Amino acid sequence: MYSNKHILKISYPIFLSLLAQNIIQVIDTAFLGRVGEVELGASALAGIFYIAVFTLGFGYSMGSQILIGRRNGEKNYHQISDIVVQGLLVLIPAALLLIPVMGYVSERWLPYMFESKEISAAVNEYLDWRFYGLVFAFTNTMFRAFYIGIAGTKILTYNAIVMALTNVLFDYLLIFGHFGFPEMGIAGAALASVISELVSTLFFIIFALRKVDLVKYGFTKIRIQLSVVKQVLSISVFMMAQYLLSVFVWLLFFVFIEKLGERPLAISNIVRSFYTILILPAQALGSSTSTMVSNTIGAGRNKEVLGLLGRVIKISLAITAVIILLVFLFPRVLIQIYTSDPVLIAETISPMYVLLSLLPIFSVGAVLFNAVSGTGNTRNALIFELFTLTFYLSYMWWIIIHLQSSVALCWTSEHVYWLSLLTFSFFYLKYGKWQNKKL
């Protein structure tokens, strides 16, 4: 049985890893808020479009992570290398193929989605550089899946720090053109992100060669095994579809907001940036829950799963309560990280309070929904996602397009999403037949 200390020990490095991945968008937002409202709003749309493509690789890696966790729980360590190697052999060629394809899509199709030509031009300028990072981003997902799956997450802490510092440095140099570097604006933010992902990949490779027990995990025999790819895909294909649909609808949220004007889009990007950071503790606990559930089932201790989930939820709610209090007390100070415009700051406060009211729902929903995936029943997770997105999209269209509501009310769409997902996941884990799922 996992103790509270053990849960936090596993989750903390995952939190830092997620922070490193998301901090790219957060840092970009903070820097671009000093460039202009168009760049601030465009970075949200471009960033989400990139993430929509990234989720294809991330979904595959999550399926791999679940399978690695199961093999680790069974103590079949030598089979883990096959999962990692096949993942890299699938994801790296996929990334190389996606770069030109998505470049064409962003140039030819995306402009039709936006009202503002300035926003459209800035989005394309960002994506022209950003897609080159897919090769490194996909590679990094497999390294993270390996370390999280074997519960050896300490390395993720160091990698997170290196990645974040690299991104801050090159954002400073390339956005504003300091120390002889070209002044690239929003394109500089994209290139800085690509460089930070490359540095992250190199860090993972060097660490693996120097510190990982390659013999224990079977890395002494590198081979192509299509049967392993098929097995991973049987789990991950549903997660890939789930993540892609989720992020695509999330992109539609910002496309709808853009139709309200450049100011509402800029406000929403600031709120999105806070959302990205404030949910990270609960998101990390959710990700570790997937691995802990998979390990627990693999060890034959199915009856301990629900008790484990109860304790993770309590930890998640406690951390979330502290976050809510801090943000509630100092909203203006925090918003000033992104902009010095007093009007923009004032108009962002109400949506921020709406976001705070969402966090307890997210902190429970993320744990339960990841637990569903951790049981290996990713088909069910996809079904839950489809029903949830139907409710979410309908409400979003009604509140934004039909009613032309304030930004604060528009953000209540997230409440609909997470309440629905939480409810489906709860009833499945409580009453569903998941205990005997074989992987």
Side-chain angles (χ1 to χ4, degrees):
M1 191 70 169
Y2 290 94
S3 65
N4 289 351
K5 183 178 180 180
H6 196 186
I7 291 170
L8 290 171
K9 185 178 179 181
I10 295 173
S11 300
Y12 177 67
I14 298 174
F15 162 76
L16 290 177
S17 177
L18 290 170
L19 178 62
Q21 189 61 46
N22 288 283
I23 201 69
I24 290 176
Q25 289 299 321
V26 173
I27 294 170
D28 287 353
T29 302
F31 276 105
L32 292 173
R34 268 67 185 176
V35 177
E37 285 190 19
V38 169
E39 289 78 8
L40 182 59
S43 67
L45 292 164
I48 295 169
F49 187 69
Y50 173 83
I51 291 171
V53 181
F54 169 77
T55 54
L56 295 173
F58 181 71
Y60 185 95
S61 74
M62 284 299 294
S64 300
Q65 178 183 315
I66 291 168
L67 202 56
I68 291 169
R70 185 65 62 91
R71 297 294 173 262
N72 192 63
E74 296 167 350
K75 300 187 185 305
N76 291 322
Y77 304 118
H78 62 285
Q79 296 180 12
I80 290 175
S81 66
D82 292 331
I83 303 169
V84 177
V85 171
Q86 306 316 305
L88 292 173
L89 292 176
V90 168
L91 292 181
I92 292 176
L96 291 171
L97 178 63
L98 281 169
I99 291 171
V101 171
M102 299 317 301
Y104 178 85
V105 170
S106 66
E107 182 180 349
R108 297 298 180 92
W109 294 357
L110 277 188
Y112 296 106
M113 299 176 66
F114 310 127
E115 297 282 345
S116 169
K117 291 182 179 180
E118 289 78 11
I119 291 286
S120 177
V123 167
N124 278 317
E125 189 178 359
Y126 182 91
L127 292 176
D128 282 345
W129 287 98
R130 191 71 177 90
F131 282 127
Y132 288 105
L134 282 174
V135 174
F136 313 119
F138 279 15
T139 301
N140 293 340
T141 63
M142 281 309 305
F143 277 109
R144 293 189 185 102
F146 169 66
Y147 290 114
I148 295 172
I150 65 172
T153 53
K154 189 175 181 180
I155 171 58
L156 302 183
T157 302
Y158 305 121
N159 184 266
I161 295 170
V162 170
M163 191 175 184
L165 291 176
T166 302
N167 195 55
V168 170
L169 173 63
F170 282 97
D171 262 346
Y172 178 76
L173 295 176
L174 294 170
I175 291 176
F176 303 109
H178 292 298
F179 296 105
F181 283 80
E183 184 179 348
M184 299 175 65
I186 193 170
L191 180 56
S193 299
V194 174
I195 294 171
S196 65
E197 287 171 336
L198 167 61
V199 170
S200 176
T201 299
L202 294 174
F203 186 92
F204 274 134
I205 292 172
I206 293 170
F207 184 90
L209 292 174
R210 293 175 61 89
K211 298 293 184 179
V212 173
D213 188 340
L214 301 178
V215 175
K216 176 181 178 180
Y217 294 107
F219 286 102
T220 54
K221 295 181 180 180
I222 305 300
R223 50 189 177 173
I224 297 175
Q225 287 188 295
L226 295 180
S227 60
V228 175
V229 175
K230 183 179 179 181
Q231 188 177 25
V232 173
L233 282 173
S234 69
I235 302 171
S236 62
V237 68
F238 301 109
M239 302 183 78
M240 293 162 72
Q242 167 207 320
Y243 291 137
L244 182 61
L245 286 170
S246 178
V247 176
F248 177 73
V249 176
W250 182 227
L251 174 62
L252 285 181
F253 173 81
F254 283 90
V255 170
F256 289 173
I257 290 288
E258 190 262 348
K259 298 184 185 305
L260 298 179
E262 292 176 357
R263 172 59 62 88
L265 181 60
I267 293 170
S268 289
N269 193 16
I270 294 173
V271 176
R272 179 194 68 91
S273 189
F274 278 108
Y275 187 21
T276 299
I277 293 298
L278 298 182
I279 64 173
L280 284 182
Q283 198 175 9
L285 284 163
S287 183
S288 62
T289 296
S290 177
T291 296
M292 288 186 288
V293 167
S294 187
N295 271 277
T296 301
I297 295 174
R301 303 198 307 271
N302 299 29
K303 294 181 179 179
E304 298 179 9
V305 169
L306 293 182
L308 169 66
L309 296 180
R311 287 186 295 110
V312 176
I313 286 171
K314 289 178 182 177
I315 295 171
S316 185
L317 284 171
I319 295 172
T320 298
V322 175
I323 292 171
I324 291 172
L325 179 61
L326 291 174
V327 178
F328 183 80
L329 292 175
F330 308 105
R332 289 181 179 273
V333 174
L334 294 171
I335 295 170
Q336 285 174 355
I337 295 171
Y338 298 95
T339 180
S340 56
D341 183 338
V343 177
L344 190 56
I345 292 171
E347 292 181 5
T348 305
I349 290 177
S350 292
M352 279 286 291
Y353 287 151
V354 173
L355 173 62
L356 293 183
S357 68
L358 168 70
L359 295 184
I361 303 170
F362 182 96
S363 66
V364 177
V367 172
L368 295 181
F369 187 59
N370 276 277
V372 174
S373 297
T375 66
N377 286 285
T378 52
R379 182 193 297 266
N380 293 79
L382 175 59
I383 292 171
F384 298 162
E385 186 77 46
L386 287 171
F387 278 109
T388 295
L389 288 177
T390 301
F391 301 146
Y392 178 66
L393 186 57
S394 300
Y395 180 82
M396 188 170 66
W397 179 88
W398 178 71
I399 200 75
I400 302 175
I401 301 298
H402 181 66
L403 296 182
Q404 300 278 299
S405 300
S406 67
V407 176
L409 281 176
C410 291
W411 272 88
T412 59
S413 302
E414 288 299 297
H415 294 68
V416 172
Y417 178 86
W418 281 104
L419 278 172
S420 299
L421 211 55
L422 186 159
T423 302
F424 283 127
S425 301
F426 172 80
F427 281 104
Y428 175 75
L429 292 166
K430 186 71 174 177
Y431 304 109
K433 297 179 180 179
W434 50 266
Q435 290 86 349
N436 299 315
K437 176 73 174 179
K438 301 296 181 182
L439 299 178

